[in-house]
Amino acid sequence: MRYILTILTIFTGEFFWKSHVEKEIPENSSRKALHDSIILTKHHNYGAVLNTGEKRPGIIKWISVVLTAAASVLFVCSFGLLGKRLMKFGLSLLLGGALSNTYDRLKRGYVVDYFRLNVPVKRIRNLIFNVSDFCILLGAALIVLGESEIGSM
């Protein structure tokens, strides 16, 4: 149940936050937050990671649907595994983020990205993310770590 709650929390939180960003922050404008460590910047991402495939949003949309469906199947299959809590938590993070971004692609035609890290390295500072992206990344790492998990924790 906690894993499903994690998915719902990510999806719902991102739904409301992205809706707020869409209404309140003008496209490509910036506002600093959290003691200037975060820069809020609304960006419509028509592609995938780092705008990959932005000229082919239809293909990106269906790849997103297929990968989210595959993650959903893996998540459901994980219910039968004893232990593997780290892997299950990773799947729930990954799936929550994937569902949020896939919803954006299907409903809006793009993913709403909205923050940058205010760091000295320009290449990193110029990247625009959303929380779902971090959930997907962290979830994937936890899945890999969880695969080596022994017994129930």
Side-chain angles (χ1 to χ4, degrees), residues 2 12 27 32 35 54 67 72 93 119 136 138 153:
R2 71 180 125 199
T12 304
E27 179 75 15
K32 292 186 178 179
H35 306 289
E54 68 183 332
L67 291 176
S72 298
L93 288 173
V119 296
I136 292 167
L138 179 59
M153 296 173 89

Side-chain angles (χ1 to χ4, degrees), residues 86-91 94 138-148:
L86 194 59
M87 185 189 77
K88 291 175 186 177
F89 182 59
L91 279 166
L94 186 142
L138 179 59
L142 292 178
I143 291 166
V144 171
L145 291 172
E147 268 301 301
S148 63

Side-chain angles (χ1 to χ4, degrees), residues 2-150:
R2 71 180 125 199
Y3 305 116
I4 293 172
L5 187 59
T6 299
I7 293 168
L8 292 174
T9 300
I10 294 165
F11 182 84
T12 304
E14 279 283 86
F15 176 83
F16 287 111
W17 184 247
K18 288 175 179 181
S19 295
H20 172 76
V21 167
E22 284 287 87
K23 290 177 191 167
E24 300 297 326
I25 299 178
E27 179 75 15
N28 293 321
S29 72
S30 296
R31 297 179 191 170
K32 292 186 178 179
L34 291 176
H35 306 289
D36 296 341
S37 61
I38 300 282
I39 302 170
L40 298 176
T41 304
K42 180 169 75 174
H43 174 71
H44 294 162
N45 184 349
Y46 291 90
V49 176
L50 302 175
N51 290 323
T52 303
E54 68 183 332
K55 295 194 186 324
R56 307 199 44 129
I59 291 172
I60 297 300
K61 180 190 316 182
W62 292 110
I63 290 171
S64 181
V65 168
V66 168
L67 291 176
T68 301
S72 298
V73 169
L74 289 173
F75 178 72
V76 169
C77 289
S78 76
F79 292 160
L81 299 174
L82 293 175
K84 301 284 187 176
R85 290 182 182 177
L86 194 59
M87 185 189 77
K88 291 175 186 177
F89 182 59
L91 279 166
S92 64
L93 288 173
L94 186 142
L95 192 52
L99 285 168
S100 175
N101 284 348
T102 299
Y103 174 84
D104 273 6
R105 285 188 180 96
L106 295 174
K107 184 75 173 169
R108 295 182 168 112
Y110 53 84
V111 173
V112 178
D113 289 332
Y114 52 82
F115 74 89
R116 298 182 289 136
L117 302 174
N118 194 12
V119 296
V121 181
K122 187 176 179 180
R123 293 179 107 184
I124 294 173
R125 189 175 59 245
N126 287 340
L127 299 175
I128 305 172
F129 303 96
N130 60 43
V131 169
S132 293
D133 296 336
F134 280 104
C135 290
I136 292 167
L137 183 64
L138 179 59
L142 292 178
I143 291 166
V144 171
L145 291 172
E147 268 301 301
S148 63
E149 196 175 20
I150 300 173

